[in-house]
Amino acid sequence: MMRSAVCLALVAGASAFAPSAVNPGLSLRASGAAMRAPARAGVSSLQMAQNPMNKAIVEFADENPQLAGRGLGVTTNAERWNGRHAMFGLFFITMTAFFKGHGLIPDADKVLDVAQWGPLVYGGFATKVTNERAIILIAHVHVLVVSIMAAFAPFQFQDTLIKPKGYTPEPAAGLIPPFKTGLTPEAELINGRLAMLGIISITTASVFTGTPVLDVVNIGLGKILY
């Protein structure tokens, strides 16, 4: 069961970097007007007044057409990438809790040797770093490097964080994007938003209750991890 879940998660993670469907009816001209038009597509003045998210995207495209034209700033593309990282982060946190609960992290409670690691042993507040924390940190560093490579030097079939010149910004998704099941841009946005909200909720619960993050996740999942 666990192997199947891991395989499905890896496939889902890989598919997240596939190019999103682009409306062929949208022009790819690089002028400021062309960059701003898609952000306004289907967004009326009433909708902007009712939904500050739509308004923020449209206003950013008006004020910063060059950034919006590369998919940066307050754009749907940036939200999509933040959601992708949040989804992966939530999956990684969950798997870390599972590994910890089943003793799959070697010598988890062993404190690093000062003679071997020097000042890296101290993690702040006069506390020493355990083998568990060190392994998790190094794993995150590797993931960060892979993420940077995927964002700035992707393969041809992958999506890019910084879009090429002439990119047409995606229209504002709205407070609640249209619900379309499957591997669709709308489903990815919704899942990303839920993942970002989940990480904020987990962190907040950990800070205010003094409960470790992994324990918060385990409790939230009904203690199925350990």
Side-chain angles (χ1 to χ4, degrees):
M1 181 65 181
M2 179 55 61
R3 291 181 180 176
S4 301
V6 172
C7 291
L8 289 174
L10 292 175
V11 171
S15 65
F17 294 97
S20 302
V22 178
N23 186 345
L26 297 178
S27 170
L28 295 180
R29 291 176 297 173
S31 66
M35 293 174 184
R36 293 190 294 269
R40 290 185 176 275
V43 182
S44 65
S45 299
L46 178 60
Q47 286 176 315
M48 284 194 291
Q50 294 176 338
N51 186 352
M53 296 176 66
N54 283 347
K55 183 179 179 182
I57 291 177
V58 171
E59 288 181 349
F60 182 82
D62 286 338
E63 297 171 3
N64 305 275
Q66 297 301 322
L67 287 177
R70 302 300 292 270
L72 301 175
V74 186
T75 62
T76 304
N77 177 64
E79 181 188 9
R80 188 181 304 282
W81 273 84
N82 287 333
R84 289 171 179 174
H85 286 91
M87 287 187 283
F88 183 83
L90 201 56
F91 169 75
F92 197 91
I93 291 172
T94 304
M95 292 306 300
T96 301
F98 176 83
F99 275 54
K100 175 183 178 180
H102 289 76
L104 299 178
I105 300 178
D107 301 322
D109 296 327
K110 181 181 178 181
V111 178
L112 297 184
D113 185 5
V114 177
Q116 183 177 4
W117 294 96
L120 294 177
V121 170
Y122 298 95
F125 302 103
T127 59
K128 292 184 178 181
V129 176
T130 61
N131 203 40
E132 175 186 271
R133 291 182 62 188
I135 291 174
I136 294 173
L137 175 62
I138 295 302
H140 274 84
V141 170
H142 280 80
V143 171
L144 177 62
V145 172
V146 172
S147 177
I148 292 174
M149 293 174 63
F152 295 101
F155 292 109
Q156 272 189 330
F157 60 87
Q158 289 180 313
D159 195 8
T160 56
L161 172 61
I162 300 179
K163 303 300 182 184
K165 291 183 178 180
Y167 160 76
T168 302
E170 295 180 63
L175 183 62
I176 302 178
F179 185 74
K180 296 182 180 179
T181 58
L183 298 177
T184 63
E186 292 82 5
E188 183 182 30
L189 277 177
I190 293 175
N191 289 333
R193 290 180 181 182
L194 291 174
M196 288 186 280
L197 181 61
I199 289 179
I200 293 173
S201 301
I202 291 170
T203 305
T204 302
S206 175
V207 170
F208 282 96
T209 64
T211 306
V213 169
L214 299 184
D215 290 339
V216 172
V217 173
N218 186 45
I219 293 172
L221 293 176
K223 297 185 178 181
I224 63 174
L225 300 176
Y226 55 87

